[in-house]
Amino acid sequence: MTTESLEELLQSVEDPIELFRNNDLADNQYVFPDEYTNWIEEQRAIRESCAIVDQSYHMQTLEIAGPAAIDLLAGIAVNDFTKFRTDGPPQAINLLMCNHDGYVIGDNICFQLGQNELYAVGSRLENNWIRYNAEISDLEVTTTVLDGPFEDGDPTNFRFQIQGPHALDVMDAVVDGGLPDIGFFQMDELEIGGVPTHALGHGMAAMPGLEIFGPFEHHDAVYEAIRQAGEPYGLRRMGAKAYKTGKIGSGWFVFAVPAIYEGEETKGYREWLPADSAAGVLSIGGSYEPDAITDYYMEPAERGQAHLIDFDHDFIGKTALEERIDNQQRERVTYVWNSEDVVDVYASLFRDGDTDKFIPIPDTATQWSKIHYDSVHKDGEVVGFSKYPGYLYYEREMLSLGTIDVAHSDPGTEVTFLWGENTEKRGVERHRTRELRATVAPAPYVQGGRRSM
Amino acid sequence: MMAADNLEQVLQSVDNPARLFRNNDLGWQPYVFQPEYTNWIEEQRAVRESVAVVDQSYHMEILRIEGPEAVDLLESLSVNSFEKVRSGDPPRAINYLTCNPDGYVIGDVIVFYLGENTFTSVGSEWINNWIRYNGEVGDYDADLEIAYHPFDDRDPPDFRIQVQGPDALKVMETVVDGSLPEIPFFNMDTIEINGTETFALSHGMAAMPGLEIFGPYEQHDAVLDDIFAAGEEYGIRQLGTKAYKTGKIGSGWFVSAVPAIYEHEDLLGYREWLGADSMEANLSIGGTYDSDDITDYYMTPMEQGKTNIITFDHDFVGREALEGMIDQQERQRVTLVWNSEDVIDVYASLFREGETNQFIHLPDVATRWSAMHYDTVLKDAEEVGLSKYPGYLYYKREMLSLATVDTEYSEPGTEVTFLWGDQTAKRGVDRNEQTEIRATVAEAPYVKGGRRDP
């Protein structure tokens, strides 16, 4: 039996945009509850006390091992691997990979835990690209999917994030011998009740925080130790609503359409990827209706990730990125939604006639699609798109992360965006599309508090 | 202090049980299905405009009562008449209501008479507990067995599926072998689906025709698939908990009130029988109503709109009290239609500085943070009733709650207010500033029309 490939799927449809925009969300990897207690209190905990997220289950871990593990990643990622090669483990980087034209395929966090032992933790959209490149290369490297939300069995590691102004106090109480100083995106090794644990300096909402991981068999014991230490500070466990909305203020584009759907250089990858892979069952939401699938692609610079690019090594997309890096058309911004307009969307539920697209608060758009794109307008022209909408209680605002033409990226610029979508998704109720007003603001939007960037 | 091991000990260990329960977080969640299967607005619309299916196989407790004196046991605890069961009628369903000796409601469930001295009681555990306790302490020739509990690690004995909406009967006509019999509201019949004998109870929601069917669990997937296939042309939707739970508001059914078991001396034995880990010992009461007297949370059958099922043709717990109370009812069941400007302003508070009002989850507003909701209803600053089960219905474009108000304020059109914003220590409640929301009294059941046989 032959399994249909992504390439065959794309050849079989007239327009992949139409396919993906009408697809319902097929793979929701967020396996934890929407709220553990109350989303407002869970959001407040990140800014006012401390919050814990159990990240043990919703991401895929890909092991990349062998003498050429770093060489493999260096060849496909924009990042500088000097510290992996010279400082040695443990290290972590925000691994960012582009296609040959310099458009983003995806990013995740890559941990170096042994000299030739790397772990990419994130979604299948990026890990599949790493696996494919390992298979077609002559390098001495192997890749293994260790665990993931769609794999059977327990994960390899427990993985917790502890965040908020009292996060380090709590961790200081649970770490054997006290918590050492760990800078942002720096790593260290700790023991918690004798359990060997890795720690990464990594806050959300511009607050101090740690991501820790260690052998899964100790999941419950480590969680319980943190819960008890956090009790005096009012620790809250974050459900999916508070967790997912935490990313808007920190300026991280969780997903964009991976830049893999056209072009000769990635054709082999499309033939390698099954039609039912994450990239084949993509669900795109929102009002943005581009002419070509490539219009959804994003560049590292418009995602605010230009600083990750190291032009001192060869990697896929380097030439294209070198040409464009100093001549960017678009910039990453935050859109602050006009609150009267948002409230009026609610008011439409109490009027006769067509209602506006319901705005679930706080996590607005992850129920019905994987990747959200609304089209942003200025003087009747499309000037950008708006992604990841959500409400932040500690800002008292509805926000979205987006990109906009540099001509309009000044904070304070008034724009509108189209809210609603004309698709056939069953996850979207019948509604009318309308314009909502928004004001351009910097990204990351949530500032201050984190001790070291 | 020794840990309590029964409800009575829990009650003795605290100053005030009402205060305990008001500060308890919801400790259990029997709704094991998803909040939305597709989209709650479309799921609500399907109930009124096309056809909707609810998979009820997993969230209710099933108590099986079997034996020559099963009927005597059930009858002795309930306001309902069992005359038709005793006269050997075919299988039927009874909206079974039990009261304490003072005539206050302990709870109601649906009891199915399956023939041959066999009954199943399907619903909340606190009615089943009361039946089991009385079965154990009484002298009845009847066997009682919990056939399924929502937290069980086993399959239920039956699939249980509701199909509802204007196209529900057309869909079922396709699914059943032969043709679908005419089944009057709340009557039962047997049908065959793929050769499997299946019970069918006529039971609609949102004043629409509907059937609840149940049969051997092995057929669960096959029957559900058949229903989806037959329903496709009508745009069938599966109801998630948001659409399912809000469907009850318009039909006037008080899902749960505080069971009237916490103080009566005749029920001391029952309170000692109930474990400290029982639902009754771990109640979570939500809302603004903050009486410290637990009996203030009790309800009478009359104010729940159940006067019509009380029959004095048999002896039952609470009969004497009810005979005295039935014609002197002080409160009436009504629906409150919330003032939409006030509801919208609760949202607007999320965009202002200062304290926010308690977040209103649409459409299923209050089932996340307590097991039973009570808001204080006011008229001219006086407390005149209790507002329960708030929710939004898309097909009405309104926020509604089911309530009881003093008879003199029960006239449709009466303007009242209620207090919104739970001020307890529950972790499931956001810190908030209490506010007053305007509401208009309307009839209950609020949603009318469409059902072929009310």
Side-chain angles (χ1 to χ4, degrees):
Chain A
M1 202 184 92
T2 57
T3 310
E4 197 188 23
S5 71
L6 173 63
E7 178 65 17
E8 286 168 306
L9 171 72
L10 294 173
Q11 294 301 333
S12 75
V13 296
E14 232 169 84
D15 181 3
I17 295 175
E18 203 181 307
L19 172 70
F20 295 143
R21 290 194 73 234
N22 288 302
N23 264 349
D24 271 290
L25 183 62
D27 54 345
N28 190 346
Q29 83 267 31
Y30 290 96
V31 287
F32 46 94
D34 284 347
E35 298 173 285
Y36 279 98
T37 51
N38 177 289
W39 68 263
I40 289 178
E41 294 298 335
E42 292 166 19
Q43 282 193 342
R44 288 183 72 166
I46 305 172
R47 285 294 284 189
E48 297 174 15
S49 54
C50 58
I52 182 167
V53 194
D54 186 350
Q55 302 186 307
S56 308
Y57 308 102
H58 78 280
M59 294 185 285
Q60 189 191 63
T61 309
L62 181 72
E63 181 191 56
I64 305 125
I70 296 175
D71 296 336
L72 172 77
L73 292 187
I76 58 175
V78 306
N79 308 76
D80 182 354
F81 285 85
T82 309
K83 70 176 187 176
F84 274 33
R85 293 188 198 275
T86 57
D87 297 354
Q91 298 286 347
I93 52 169
N94 181 188
L95 189 76
L96 177 68
M97 295 164 288
C98 290
N99 75 1
H100 299 74
D101 298 324
Y103 292 98
V104 171
I105 291 178
D107 73 330
N108 60 25
I109 294 184
C110 180
F111 296 97
Q112 182 194 34
L113 301 185
Q115 205 54 53
N116 299 314
E117 199 189 320
L118 309 181
Y119 299 88
V121 178
S123 93
R124 296 175 299 174
L125 288 171
E126 310 90 43
N127 283 349
N128 284 341
W129 176 242
I130 299 172
R131 288 171 57 206
Y132 166 74
N133 279 285
E135 280 186 30
I136 62 163
S137 90
D138 298 326
L139 295 172
E140 210 176 317
V141 58
T142 57
T143 61
T144 314
V145 175
L146 296 183
D147 54 53
F150 307 104
E151 311 295 325
D152 289 332
D154 285 339
T156 318
N157 289 317
F158 67 78
R159 186 178 303 275
F160 300 119
Q161 263 186 23
I162 301 93
Q163 301 166 344
H166 292 300
L168 302 183
D169 301 322
V170 172
M171 291 310 295
D172 193 49
V174 296
V175 171
D176 302 348
L179 182 69
D181 201 38
I182 306 173
F184 183 66
F185 245 82
Q186 303 298 305
M187 287 192 75
D188 208 337
E189 288 171 83
L190 315 168
E191 289 201 0
I192 297 175
V195 175
T197 303
H198 281 100
L200 169 70
H202 187 22
M204 256 163 72
M207 280 293 158
L210 285 182
E211 177 173 324
I212 60 168
F213 55 96
F216 183 76
E217 61 197 277
H218 301 291
H219 174 278
D220 295 358
V222 171
Y223 177 79
E224 187 53 26
I226 296 169
R227 193 193 64 74
Q228 279 179 22
E231 215 168 85
Y233 300 99
L235 176 92
R236 294 268 177 165
R237 183 176 188 176
M238 283 204 269
K241 288 182 181 183
Y243 174 58
K244 288 195 262 183
T245 48
K247 293 166 184 181
I248 300 164
S250 49
W252 182 50
F253 286 93
V254 183
F255 289 117
V257 170
I260 61 163
Y261 293 99
E262 39 63 60
E264 275 308 304
E265 293 96 337
T266 46
K267 190 175 176 199
Y269 181 48
R270 292 191 297 277
E271 289 168 344
W272 181 87
L273 272 178
D276 63 357
S277 63
V281 299
L282 211 60
S283 166
I284 303 176
S287 62
Y288 184 55
E289 295 182 53
D291 299 325
I293 190 101
T294 52
D295 292 342
Y296 288 113
Y297 295 177
M298 295 181 76
E299 301 206 43
E302 66 179 328
R303 290 161 59 105
Q305 292 179 313
H307 65 281
L308 295 177
I309 306 172
D310 164 45
F311 286 115
D312 290 337
H313 78 293
D314 281 332
F315 59 93
I316 294 175
K318 177 179 177 178
T319 313
L321 284 171
E322 272 178 329
E323 277 170 25
R324 291 199 307 268
I325 192 80
D326 294 322
N327 187 23
Q328 286 299 309
Q329 311 285 310
R330 285 196 171 168
E331 203 174 307
R332 176 179 65 164
V333 293
T334 304
Y335 294 109
V336 181
W337 297 22
N338 180 289
S339 59
E340 281 173 32
D341 290 357
V342 173
V343 171
D344 193 60
V345 169
Y346 277 93
S348 80
L349 287 172
F350 297 91
R351 294 191 290 253
D352 286 326
D354 288 337
T355 47
D356 301 329
K357 174 76 198 76
F358 183 63
I359 298 182
I361 281 186
D363 180 37
T364 299
T366 66
Q367 288 92 332
W368 76 83
S369 81
K370 181 91 169 179
I371 307 181
H372 188 85
Y373 288 82
D374 282 328
S375 59
V376 175
H377 299 251
K378 180 77 186 174
D379 306 326
E381 297 288 314
V382 175
V383 295
F385 46 71
S386 162
K387 294 170 64 57
Y388 309 111
Y391 173 83
L392 293 184
Y393 187 86
Y394 45 81
E395 298 289 346
R396 301 287 168 95
E397 280 165 338
M398 272 291 306
L399 303 168
S400 55
L401 199 59
T403 68
I404 196 166
D405 292 347
V406 286
H408 303 293
S409 66
D410 283 342
T413 305
E414 302 286 333
V415 296
T416 62
F417 65 95
L418 270 185
W419 178 246
E421 60 176 76
N422 295 308
T423 64
E424 288 162 16
K425 294 188 195 80
R426 284 171 64 83
V428 175
E429 80 276 12
R430 286 161 282 177
H431 64 276
R432 69 176 184 131
T433 299
R434 63 173 284 177
E435 270 188 324
L436 298 180
R437 290 169 291 172
T439 306
V440 172
Y445 186 71
V446 177
Q447 309 275 346
R450 186 149 63 198
R451 55 180 184 161
S452 113
M453 276 295 292
Chain B
M1 197 185 89
M2 251 178 53
D5 53 29
N6 65 46
L7 168 61
E8 181 62 21
Q9 288 172 358
V10 170
L11 297 175
Q12 294 302 333
S13 73
V14 295
D15 283 340
N16 186 301
R19 214 172 296 158
L20 169 73
F21 296 150
R22 294 195 68 247
N23 288 291
N24 263 350
D25 271 289
L26 186 60
W28 69 87
Q29 183 51 271
Y31 289 95
V32 287
F33 49 94
Q34 293 170 228
E36 297 173 282
Y37 281 97
T38 51
N39 176 287
W40 67 262
I41 290 177
E42 292 297 336
E43 291 166 20
Q44 283 193 341
R45 289 184 72 167
V47 179
R48 281 295 282 189
E49 297 173 17
S50 54
V51 55
V53 62
V54 192
D55 187 353
Q56 301 186 306
S57 307
Y58 308 103
H59 76 279
M60 295 185 283
E61 187 184 76
I62 300 172
L63 175 67
R64 205 173 161 86
I65 307 123
E66 211 170 343
E69 292 177 349
V71 64
D72 301 325
L73 168 63
L74 290 172
E75 188 183 54
S76 73
L77 303 174
S78 99
V79 305
N80 311 76
S81 173
F82 277 74
E83 197 195 316
K84 285 182 178 166
V85 171
R86 287 189 183 280
S87 65
D89 252 29
R92 57 190 310 105
I94 300 160
N95 179 194
Y96 184 82
L97 178 74
T98 61
C99 290
N100 79 357
D102 293 334
Y104 290 97
V105 172
I106 292 178
D108 72 324
V109 284
I110 295 184
V111 165
F112 294 94
Y113 172 57
L114 304 176
E116 295 165 13
N117 297 325
T118 302
F119 299 83
T120 54
S121 167
V122 179
S124 273
E125 140 174 1
W126 47 68
I127 300 92
N128 288 346
N129 284 342
W130 177 236
I131 299 170
R132 284 171 56 214
Y133 166 74
N134 282 282
E136 285 182 23
V137 300
D139 187 21
Y140 296 100
D141 186 1
D143 293 324
L144 289 91
E145 182 212 355
I146 296 169
Y148 177 74
H149 187 279
F151 307 144
D152 276 358
D153 197 17
R154 60 173 164 169
D155 287 338
D158 293 327
F159 69 79
R160 185 175 304 276
I161 295 165
Q162 264 188 21
V163 185
Q164 303 167 342
D167 296 319
L169 300 183
K170 283 183 265 183
V171 170
M172 290 310 295
E173 185 72 50
T174 313
V175 170
V176 297
D177 305 346
S179 67
L180 189 67
E182 278 279 326
I183 311 174
F185 183 66
F186 230 74
N187 279 46
M188 265 175 67
D189 210 334
T190 52
I191 55 176
E192 287 202 358
I193 300 176
N194 299 326
T196 301
E197 177 157 288
T198 303
F199 284 104
L201 167 70
S202 173
H203 186 22
M205 256 164 72
M208 281 294 159
L211 287 182
E212 177 174 323
I213 59 170
F214 56 101
Y217 185 74
E218 305 85 77
Q219 300 297 318
H220 175 274
D221 294 358
V223 170
L224 205 51
D225 283 350
D226 282 357
I227 292 170
F228 281 127
E232 203 178 320
E233 64 174 297
Y234 302 103
I236 196 167
R237 297 267 177 165
Q238 182 165 6
L239 300 191
T241 57
K242 290 183 182 186
Y244 174 58
K245 289 198 255 181
T246 49
K248 294 166 184 180
I249 299 163
S251 49
W253 182 49
F254 284 93
V255 182
S256 52
V258 171
I261 62 167
Y262 293 101
E263 36 61 61
H264 203 284
E265 62 184 46
D266 292 359
L267 270 60
L268 177 65
Y270 182 45
R271 290 192 295 275
E272 288 170 348
W273 182 87
L274 282 169
D277 60 352
S278 62
M279 287 184 180
E280 290 86 340
N282 293 278
L283 273 197
S284 167
I285 301 176
T288 53
Y289 184 61
D290 64 354
S291 171
D292 280 347
D293 181 352
I294 192 76
T295 63
D296 288 343
Y297 297 84
Y298 296 175
M299 295 179 80
T300 68
M302 292 74 79
E303 67 183 330
Q304 289 198 340
K306 307 244 189 208
T307 313
N308 62 318
I309 62 173
I310 303 172
T311 52
F312 295 118
D313 66 352
H314 65 291
D315 277 335
F316 59 91
V317 177
R319 173 177 170 159
E320 209 176 309
L322 285 172
E323 279 178 322
M325 290 154 67
I326 194 158
D327 295 323
Q328 301 176 26
Q329 198 46 42
E330 289 169 4
R331 287 197 168 166
Q332 301 286 331
R333 177 180 64 162
V334 296
T335 303
L336 296 183
V337 181
W338 296 22
N339 180 289
S340 59
E341 281 173 32
D342 291 355
V343 174
I344 293 162
D345 194 60
V346 169
Y347 278 93
S349 81
L350 286 174
F351 298 93
R352 294 193 289 253
E353 296 300 317
E355 292 290 313
T356 47
N357 301 132
Q358 189 175 7
F359 185 67
I360 295 181
H361 289 267
L362 289 186
D364 180 35
V365 172
T367 65
R368 274 174 188 74
W369 74 86
S370 80
M372 36 200 62
H373 186 85
Y374 288 78
D375 281 330
T376 303
V377 178
L378 301 172
K379 179 75 184 179
D380 305 327
E382 291 292 310
E383 183 204 313
V384 298
L386 298 169
S387 168
K388 294 170 65 57
Y389 309 111
Y392 173 84
L393 293 183
Y394 187 86
Y395 45 82
K396 289 289 175 187
R397 302 287 167 97
E398 282 165 337
M399 271 292 305
L400 303 167
S401 54
L402 203 56
T404 66
V405 295
D406 291 348
T407 307
E408 58 174 312
Y409 303 111
S410 64
E411 206 58 40
T414 306
E415 301 288 334
V416 296
T417 63
F418 65 92
L419 294 178
W420 176 250
D422 188 315
Q423 300 297 314
T424 63
K426 292 186 200 77
R427 285 169 63 83
V429 173
D430 37 301
R431 280 164 280 175
N432 68 85
E433 182 174 78
Q434 201 169 77
T435 184
E436 213 168 317
I437 292 179
R438 290 170 288 172
T440 305
V441 171
E443 291 182 337
Y446 186 68
V447 176
K448 302 215 182 279
R451 186 149 63 199
R452 56 183 178 156
D453 187 354

